[in-house]
Amino acid sequence: MRKFNIRKVLDGLTAGSSSASQQQQQQHPPGNREPEIQETLQSEHFQLCKTVRHGFPYQPSALAFDPVQKILAVGTQTGALRLFGRPGVECYCQHDSGAAVIQLQFLINEGALVSALADDTLHLWNLRQKRPAILHSLKFCRERVTFCHLPFQSKWLYVGTERGNIHIVNVESFTLSGYVIMWNKAIELSSKSHPGPVVHISDNPMDEGKLLIGFESGTVVLWDLKSKKADYRYTYDEAIHSVAWHHEGKQFICSHSDGTLTIWNVRSPAKPVQTITPHGKQLKDGKKPEPCKPILKVEFKTTRSGEPFIILSGGLSYDTVGRRPCLTVMHGKSTAVLEMDYSIVDFLTLCETPYPNDFQEPYAVVVLLEKDLVLIDLAQNGYPIFENPYPLSIHESPVTCCEYFADCPVDLIPALYSVGARQKRQGYSKKEWPINGGNWGLGAQSYPEIIITGHADGSVKFWDASAITLQVLYKLKTSKVFEKSRNKDDRPNTDIVDEDPYAIQIISWCPESRMLCIAGVSAHVIIYRFSKQEVITEVIPMLEVRLLYEINDVETPEGEQPPPLPTPVGGSNPQPIPPQSHPSTSSSSSDGLRDNVPCLKVKNSPLKQSPGYQTELVIQLVWVGGEPPQQITSLAVNSSYGLVVFGNCNGIAMVDYLQKAVLLNLGTIELYGSNDPYRREPRSPRKSRQPSGAGLCDISEGTVVPEDRCKSPTSDVKDNSFSRSRSSSVTSIDKESREAISALHFCETFTRKTDSSPSPCLWVGTTLGTVLVIALNLPPGGEQRLLQPVIVSPSGTILRLKGAILRMAFLDTTGCLIPPAYEPWREHNVPEEKDEKEKLKKRRPVSVSPSSSQEISENQYAVICSEKQAKVISLPTQNCAYKQNITETSFVLRGDIVALSNSICLACFCANGHIMTFSLPSLRPLLDVYYLPLTNMRIARTFCFTNNGQALYLVSPTEIQRLTYSQETCENLQEMLGELFTPVETPEAPNRGFFKGLFGGGAQSLDREELFGESSSGKASRSLAQHIPGPGGIEGVKGAASGVVGELARARLALDERGQKLGDLEERTAAMLSSAESFSKHAHEIMLKYKDKKWYQF
């Protein structure tokens, strides 16, 4: 027996769950020495890190755009920061505090960003590195931050607070200036009360020395920075939400809480030049229009060759109940009201110039909605939207499950793309997506990756996830085969869920044959074939299955009568059931209970099926004696055998989808025959209606799992939130008898100890830790396959593990994975030539197992992973070769047998947040890292591992987080990530023109350094704010090693700011130095000449 020093293996890895490491053991039962298999994977091949986050930023709260770099930034209520450049360039960062982002400000074209958070901290992000990092932070201690403004090409950030004061921060050193604008100085005697928080700050586009300050109460002040006093005060009796300048600096516009806009001349503070209520009903007798909802934001953008644009959000009249949120675009005399699907968080107008004192020339509006990002083309009639190239529609309907496939066949993505391209909507803007900054990374990974998401509305989406990007390929609507109920009243009361009856629970997909099978929440299974041809299906093939939980009185659909075990099932008279296109005739049993009806009604009209996935067969479980069908807990499809199998807490059913016949329909207890270790007595189904899907779609954020839930979902079925069957009619009373099917695996292996060669079979795992083997006797291929029955018989083989069975796989004698056999994909909807038919008759499915060449002495290994332990069983002897107790105090949520670095391993994710990997076949621990606590069911339901060290889960209802457990990918990640910052020339400043230069006018610059620097304004109070150096780390240093560039840029910025004074000063200093030198030389010569002369000799 070989012992492994586990402590040594885990040394240097994050401390794992102590219970696991105490209990971990591998054993070779004495006397059966297994042949040594050389294992290549070592602990140094593993490292865990997050790679990328895809999807719409969850709960967005702030928006910013760099018009030169063309990068968009979105902040969220949980402190996340998402940056978007050209399609494929995306980045996710997180503020450690988790406080909401209230505002974002780019240092335009400098590769930096300032974020203001709800906890009154400001952070400076360095975007010149692939993974942005915080360089500096500043925490305000005595005042709450409400608004920030950073003028273009300035290093002085204005920070407004809830008390109405304005502080000034040097963004280079992230320190406060001593210059403060106090609220009482700003408003003086113009108001008797406090003006409220600062809601707006901006400098006059034509005069940097004049600062416009908007207070919430309705007061606006134009502050002269040099003279430190207010030039003008503008008062209006409605609260202000936002303010915007006309680029000439002579007018500004305010939006108010009563739905009005006021336009003011800078020099006429008495009253606004114009008051507009964009959505107010104008009353005839000159009265004020009725008040409307607040206008939350307004932007005022000018064009050289036409009327200015006034763009606003909100302001609808109060009588538009139920109307969707709108963005209003006023251009000249036309007003366009653009309805949005979700409420508007913020919007920005994208303009041709970064200079505020030039004609703005707006070309698009980016609108950040609660659950979407919309970009409107302002240059085209009708304001069409741009087609969004980012993968932001993951949550279009809530995600209920997902699967991840790395290293797929290379022809799959093009095939899915070509059928998906036909589904695209029309009517988008014809222009290119304008947010196109940054550069792509060098994708070192070239293998195809596909993510499949199942949704609450019954849709299934296929995504191309190759090289850490994400793009939707194709969308399948599974609900199309069912009749839709028009309203609540005419809904059949057979539903077992109140809403989302089509929600997807399980996806089983064979990439090689392209067969797809889904199980839905209404106990329905649909099998799909992939085709590039459109077809019209006259009658949708359909089967109804009565999965029963009584043994004495087994009722089965016509043509199935399973004889008593262990005789082969389906061998005697398998007459295929004619596909039904209507529900069963019997709808209630003799005692009036609902019986033999499915939950959903399949359409009985012809169905047009577009190219892509097309329905091959619909299988539905039916009500039995007043008890609804239980939800399906496991599912598997095999294209080589033409079989699909599924199970729930009542039993298991197997269907031949080629002959459209039910082959097996057994209660779980019947699978054991006389070998039942529990000696259970079957009992009748409980007569109760099952409440709504027990939370398949409750992907709510709030479902935090208490600590005492670290039990297996099935070891204690009272703990319903984790029960795999998610069915509330399973209670602890039924615990012993209700044994659900939790894992299914088709393979070609040894079914019994006495077998001399492998044969097709199905391995079945249950929630009580039992593995049972069912032998399959398949007819020859070709036409015979459709005429002769498939014979199915339990083999009597039973294996036991602790905890529910999660995953099974098979290794050959050298320790390589044996994938299940498959039928290669071919187009089914094209009539075949005669010789093709002959070929087909002879063709056998691709059986990947080495059955023909295998000698009798060669063996296989079954790898079985349960919620508590993993075992490797030697076949055909059925001896346990290796065993590993994975966890004692928690349970495994997901286990996958995956390929990595030309080898394979078992990867597990535990409910206590640990990610572990084990070598195969010896189950040596290779990695054990605490990754994240299981805070809700969403993570448990969506976590999956795949080949090449990739994994993913749904981190929020709208976002997929991808991670890697491969050391090699971690090392290459830096190369694969895109660049956010690219060196771009700042556009030239607008030309002032000859006369403006001659007679003054044009933009007035301001020496802010002179005003705000320490020499003139003194030091700020230390207790006001605390400077915190950022955790930029080594990468920050590397990023700043473009440092020289950074320093040069800063120096250039400072030069611009000081109006080239430094250059002049240098020249003057140099001139003074040289004249001083010549003076001292001259003086020295004179001194030598007259050194010895007396005064009277001069």
Side-chain angles (χ1 to χ4, degrees):
M1 170 165 159
R2 182 173 51 176
K3 263 195 169 179
F4 290 96
N5 185 342
I6 286 146
R7 200 165 283 169
K8 210 169 188 178
V9 174
L10 293 178
D11 191 28
L13 295 169
T14 310
S17 51
S18 54
S19 60
S21 41
Q22 286 160 19
Q23 295 297 328
Q24 280 160 340
Q25 55 191 22
Q26 291 126 336
Q27 62 190 48
H28 305 257
N32 306 313
R33 285 294 304 222
E34 291 303 327
E36 286 287 323
I37 290 175
Q38 196 61 45
E39 292 179 1
T40 54
L41 284 180
Q42 302 299 329
S43 53
E44 55 265 23
H45 288 107
F46 294 88
Q47 185 185 338
L48 198 69
C49 72
K50 292 179 181 178
T51 52
V52 280
R53 185 173 288 202
H54 300 298
F56 182 77
Y58 184 58
Q59 296 178 323
S61 55
L63 182 66
F65 182 67
D66 184 326
V68 181
Q69 284 288 322
K70 300 274 201 300
I71 295 282
L72 186 79
V74 177
T76 74
Q77 291 176 30
T78 52
L81 184 59
R82 291 283 295 280
L83 296 143
F84 298 93
R86 67 179 59 218
V89 175
E90 271 183 56
C91 179
Y92 156 76
C93 323
Q94 178 70 46
H95 293 91
D96 292 339
S97 66
V101 179
I102 55 172
Q103 210 181 337
L104 295 169
Q105 288 264 306
F106 274 101
L107 277 69
I108 293 171
N109 206 22
E110 290 298 328
L113 174 79
V114 173
S115 57
L117 269 55
D119 62 357
D120 311 308
T121 53
L122 301 176
H123 304 274
L124 179 67
W125 289 86
N126 175 15
L127 309 183
R128 289 169 176 257
Q129 56 197 60
K130 290 191 170 185
R131 289 214 145 163
I134 292 174
L135 292 173
H136 300 281
S137 300
L138 194 65
K139 165 93 178 145
F140 280 78
C141 306
R142 295 189 310 206
E143 297 195 53
R144 309 225 57 188
V145 174
T146 55
F147 193 89
C148 298
H149 169 63
L150 181 68
F152 180 43
Q153 293 184 325
S154 163
K155 69 170 187 183
W156 298 97
L157 174 77
Y158 301 110
V159 180
T161 69
E162 199 170 41
R163 289 192 187 172
N165 303 325
I166 290 176
H167 301 280
I168 296 163
V169 176
N170 179 334
V171 289
E172 283 180 6
S173 60
F174 239 57
T175 51
L176 274 177
S177 159
Y179 191 114
V180 183
I181 304 170
M182 302 301 284
W183 69 270
N184 49 357
K185 284 276 303 232
I187 65 160
E188 273 183 355
L189 302 174
S190 64
S191 162
K192 289 176 184 169
S193 55
H194 189 279
V198 174
V199 293
H200 178 83
I201 308 169
S202 61
D203 43 342
N204 184 322
M206 285 296 177
D207 187 350
E208 294 172 350
K210 303 281 196 268
L211 200 63
L212 195 69
I213 306 162
F215 296 97
E216 192 179 64
S217 65
T219 302
V220 178
V221 173
L222 188 69
W223 181 262
D224 186 316
L225 289 165
K226 284 181 191 159
S227 63
K228 301 187 182 179
K229 62 180 179 44
D231 280 358
Y232 299 105
R233 296 184 183 89
Y234 315 84
T235 49
Y236 191 72
D237 51 8
E238 289 292 340
I240 286 178
H241 283 277
S242 77
V243 184
W245 279 102
H246 184 284
H247 85 272
E248 286 174 352
K250 292 174 185 165
Q251 279 191 337
F252 60 89
I253 187 168
C254 302
S255 76
H256 299 276
S257 56
D258 63 345
T260 57
L261 296 173
T262 53
I263 299 177
W264 301 77
N265 274 347
V266 170
R267 291 165 190 257
S268 316
K271 66 178 183 42
V273 188
Q274 201 182 351
T275 304
I276 313 165
T277 312
H279 295 282
K281 291 194 179 76
Q282 296 298 327
L283 303 174
K284 288 191 179 150
D285 46 2
K287 287 182 186 166
K288 264 181 94 174
E290 293 173 0
C292 294
K293 293 175 187 171
I295 294 176
L296 300 176
K297 184 170 181 179
V298 64
E299 292 210 333
F300 198 3
K301 301 295 178 189
T302 52
T303 59
R304 261 192 183 81
S305 56
E307 301 278 349
F309 281 88
I310 295 176
I311 300 164
L312 56 120
S313 64
L316 293 180
S317 68
Y318 280 101
D319 60 5
T320 50
V321 180
R323 187 158 176 197
R324 295 194 297 185
C326 294
L327 186 84
T328 307
V329 181
M330 298 164 73
H331 184 224
K333 289 179 181 166
S334 77
T335 299
V337 180
L338 310 174
E339 287 199 339
M340 301 291 157
D341 290 337
Y342 306 101
S343 55
I344 297 171
V345 175
D346 198 358
F347 73 88
L348 287 173
T349 311
L350 308 190
C351 300
E352 295 291 353
T353 177
Y355 292 94
N357 58 354
D358 194 7
F359 284 100
Q360 299 298 290
E361 304 295 350
Y363 58 88
V365 184
V366 58
V367 190
L368 179 63
L369 305 174
E370 211 173 29
K371 294 185 179 177
D372 203 0
L373 183 78
V374 176
L375 202 59
I376 296 157
D377 184 352
L378 287 180
Q380 226 171 302
N381 280 344
Y383 304 132
I385 63 169
F386 288 86
E387 185 175 6
N388 197 324
Y390 305 135
L392 301 183
S393 63
I394 291 169
H395 63 287
E396 192 175 15
S397 166
V399 176
T400 49
C401 65
C402 60
E403 293 296 334
Y404 189 6
F405 300 85
D407 225 356
C408 307
V410 288
D411 56 348
L412 255 181
I413 289 175
L416 287 163
Y417 181 80
S418 68
V419 293
R422 307 175 194 208
Q423 300 176 328
K424 289 205 169 159
R425 277 177 43 197
Q426 300 301 310
Y428 289 113
S429 165
K430 295 180 174 58
K431 293 206 182 107
E432 289 282 307
W433 182 255
I435 301 161
N436 55 12
N439 279 322
W440 290 315
L442 302 164
Q445 287 165 312
S446 54
Y447 52 85
E449 295 175 75
I450 289 177
I451 294 170
I452 306 179
T453 51
H455 299 263
D457 64 356
S459 59
V460 175
K461 286 183 184 173
F462 290 77
W463 304 82
D464 175 4
S466 314
I468 68 169
T469 61
L470 193 69
Q471 185 187 3
V472 72
L473 290 168
Y474 170 72
K475 179 179 171 181
L476 167 69
K477 292 180 180 169
T478 65
S479 59
K480 277 205 306 202
V481 298
F482 299 111
E483 296 282 1
K484 299 269 196 311
S485 47
R486 293 283 167 268
N487 58 19
K488 288 258 165 115
D489 307 329
D490 70 302
R491 257 175 117 168
N493 50 0
T494 50
D495 290 5
I496 53 171
V497 287
D498 297 332
E499 49 187 45
D500 300 323
Y502 312 113
I504 308 289
Q505 267 187 311
I506 310 172
I507 295 166
S508 177
W509 187 52
C510 172
E512 287 78 15
S513 66
R514 304 185 190 173
M515 288 301 293
L516 172 71
C517 195
I518 64 98
V521 76
S522 297
H524 62 280
V525 170
I526 309 177
I527 302 152
Y528 290 93
R529 267 188 203 280
F530 185 83
S531 171
K532 294 180 177 176
Q533 310 290 321
E534 184 176 290
V535 291
I536 291 177
T537 308
E538 293 298 326
V539 176
I540 298 167
M542 178 187 127
L543 287 177
E544 285 175 0
V545 176
R546 195 179 163 87
L547 249 189
L548 197 53
Y549 185 60
E550 292 170 303
I551 286 182
N552 314 342
D553 177 25
V554 176
E555 298 177 48
T556 50
E558 174 200 352
E560 275 180 72
Q561 296 87 31
L565 297 173
T567 15
V569 177
S572 42
N573 56 342
Q575 323 130 350
I577 307 168
Q580 299 159 300
S581 63
H582 54 83
S584 313
T585 43
S586 142
S587 63
S588 60
S589 55
S590 53
D591 55 358
L593 293 167
R594 188 175 295 124
D595 195 60
N596 243 27
V597 280
C599 301
L600 301 171
K601 190 171 178 228
V602 173
K603 279 183 181 166
N604 51 16
S605 53
L607 180 70
K608 179 178 154 189
Q609 305 208 66
S610 308
Y613 274 102
Q614 298 171 350
T615 308
E616 171 85 359
L617 177 63
V618 179
I619 307 162
Q620 291 195 86
L621 295 183
V622 295
W623 286 66
V624 176
E627 161 134 326
Q630 296 298 322
Q631 288 176 7
I632 290 159
T633 53
S634 58
L635 173 72
V637 65
N638 186 291
S639 57
S640 169
Y641 307 156
L643 302 178
V644 67
V645 62
F646 56 93
N648 62 10
C649 63
N650 282 344
I652 185 171
M654 192 189 294
V655 169
D656 177 343
Y657 64 76
L658 298 174
Q659 295 187 22
K660 314 281 189 278
V662 181
L663 300 174
L664 181 74
N665 177 3
L666 290 179
T668 320
I669 305 170
E670 297 171 277
L671 276 173
Y672 287 89
S674 56
N675 301 332
D676 184 6
Y678 298 107
R679 301 273 170 260
R680 289 167 288 195
E681 283 304 310
R683 63 183 73 172
S684 299
R686 294 170 63 249
K687 312 278 190 276
S688 68
R689 177 176 162 80
Q690 176 177 343
S692 135
L696 185 75
C697 301
D698 58 347
I699 306 204
S700 63
E701 278 300 279
T703 47
V704 177
V705 182
E707 276 75 40
D708 63 351
R709 284 250 177 102
C710 275
K711 296 195 192 86
S712 149
T714 39
S715 65
D716 181 6
V717 191
K718 277 181 290 194
D719 173 12
N720 211 355
S721 70
F722 269 131
S723 169
R724 285 224 173 355
S725 64
R726 295 203 226 359
S727 76
S728 50
S729 50
V730 185
T731 65
S732 51
I733 307 166
D734 298 11
K735 188 174 85 171
E736 286 301 299
S737 48
R738 288 272 173 135
E739 180 178 10
I741 308 295
S742 57
L744 295 162
H745 189 88
F746 284 106
C747 55
E748 203 158 306
T749 186
F750 303 92
T751 47
R752 299 175 183 84
K753 286 185 183 182
T754 54
D755 284 3
S756 58
S757 63
S759 57
C761 55
L762 170 73
W763 284 52
V764 180
T766 76
T767 49
L768 291 184
T770 308
V771 175
L772 303 130
V773 184
I774 295 172
L776 309 174
N777 194 340
L778 297 160
E783 279 175 21
Q784 292 300 308
R785 173 64 185 83
L786 299 174
L787 300 172
Q788 293 183 30
V790 176
I791 297 169
V792 180
S793 54
S795 66
T797 295
I798 294 183
L799 306 165
R800 309 259 324 129
L801 274 80
K802 266 197 302 189
I805 306 297
L806 297 179
R807 189 77 59 205
M808 296 176 278
F810 292 84
L811 313 182
D812 65 16
T813 192
T814 63
C816 294
L817 194 64
I818 305 171
Y822 61 85
E823 171 90 32
W825 178 78
R826 62 188 174 84
E827 181 57 75
H828 270 257
N829 293 331
V830 175
E832 285 141 1
E833 301 296 319
K834 199 171 178 200
D835 54 338
E836 282 288 315
K837 278 193 176 175
E838 289 303 312
K839 269 190 213 164
L840 268 180
K841 270 189 202 173
K842 291 172 190 159
R843 184 169 78 171
R844 288 290 292 152
V846 178
S847 170
V848 194
S849 72
S851 53
S852 50
S853 64
Q854 198 155 22
E855 293 169 29
I856 296 170
S857 64
E858 287 199 346
N859 60 353
Q860 290 184 4
Y861 296 97
V863 181
I864 305 168
C865 175
S866 80
E867 290 177 330
K868 292 287 185 183
Q869 60 180 193
K871 281 186 181 179
V872 173
I873 306 230
S874 186
L875 299 176
T877 61
Q878 294 179 16
N879 292 328
C880 177
Y882 303 96
K883 181 171 114 183
Q884 177 69 260
N885 285 344
I886 298 169
T887 175
E888 287 296 319
T889 54
S890 184
F891 55 92
V892 178
L893 283 161
R894 177 81 184 207
D896 286 295
I897 290 97
V898 289
L900 177 71
S901 304
N902 300 321
S903 188
I904 51 168
C905 65
L906 166 66
C908 299
F909 172 54
C910 273
N912 61 9
H914 284 253
I915 287 177
M916 306 173 179
T917 62
F918 302 92
S919 72
L920 287 175
S922 71
L923 295 173
R924 274 180 304 127
L926 296 169
L927 173 79
D928 182 351
V929 175
Y930 175 70
Y931 174 68
L932 87 165
L934 182 68
T935 47
N936 51 38
M937 272 304 296
R938 186 186 56 251
I939 298 172
R941 197 179 300 129
T942 57
F943 200 104
C944 44
F945 296 97
T946 186
N947 297 332
N948 299 336
Q950 308 289 342
L952 67 78
Y953 62 98
L954 229 73
V955 67
S956 75
T958 62
E959 296 163 290
I960 286 174
Q961 177 67 57
R962 284 163 75 176
L963 53 143
T964 182
Y965 47 96
S966 148
Q967 164 70 32
E968 190 187 357
T969 309
C970 287
E971 283 176 2
N972 294 334
L973 186 60
Q974 201 61 14
E975 282 177 30
M976 292 160 65
L977 293 170
E979 297 267 4
L980 281 168
F981 180 78
T982 46
V984 180
E985 275 292 312
T986 304
E988 273 188 34
N991 193 350
R992 286 175 64 185
F994 174 71
F995 289 107
K996 275 191 178 170
L998 194 63
F999 302 115
Q1004 300 294 312
S1005 63
L1006 168 78
D1007 189 347
R1008 296 190 180 98
E1009 188 70 38
E1010 199 177 292
L1011 266 182
F1012 306 144
E1014 208 174 288
S1015 54
S1016 56
S1017 65
K1019 281 190 175 178
S1021 159
R1022 278 195 179 171
S1023 61
L1024 188 61
Q1026 176 194 355
H1027 176 260
I1028 305 155
I1034 293 296
E1035 200 187 336
V1037 174
K1038 278 186 198 155
S1042 58
V1044 184
V1045 185
E1047 289 306 318
L1048 282 171
R1050 284 202 197 91
R1052 177 178 55 69
L1053 189 68
L1055 279 176
D1056 288 353
E1057 281 225 321
R1058 297 171 203 170
Q1060 308 298 327
K1061 287 183 186 173
L1062 273 179
D1064 298 353
L1065 189 65
E1066 239 172 40
E1067 281 166 28
R1068 261 184 265 149
T1069 313
M1072 281 169 73
L1073 268 170
S1074 72
S1075 70
E1077 262 175 38
S1078 67
F1079 177 77
S1080 80
K1081 201 173 164 189
H1082 195 55
H1084 190 64
E1085 280 168 16
I1086 291 175
M1087 186 269 289
L1088 288 173
K1089 188 176 176 185
Y1090 297 110
K1091 194 168 71 170
D1092 299 317
K1093 292 193 177 179
K1094 304 281 186 253
W1095 64 269
Y1096 51 83
Q1097 290 176 313
F1098 283 102

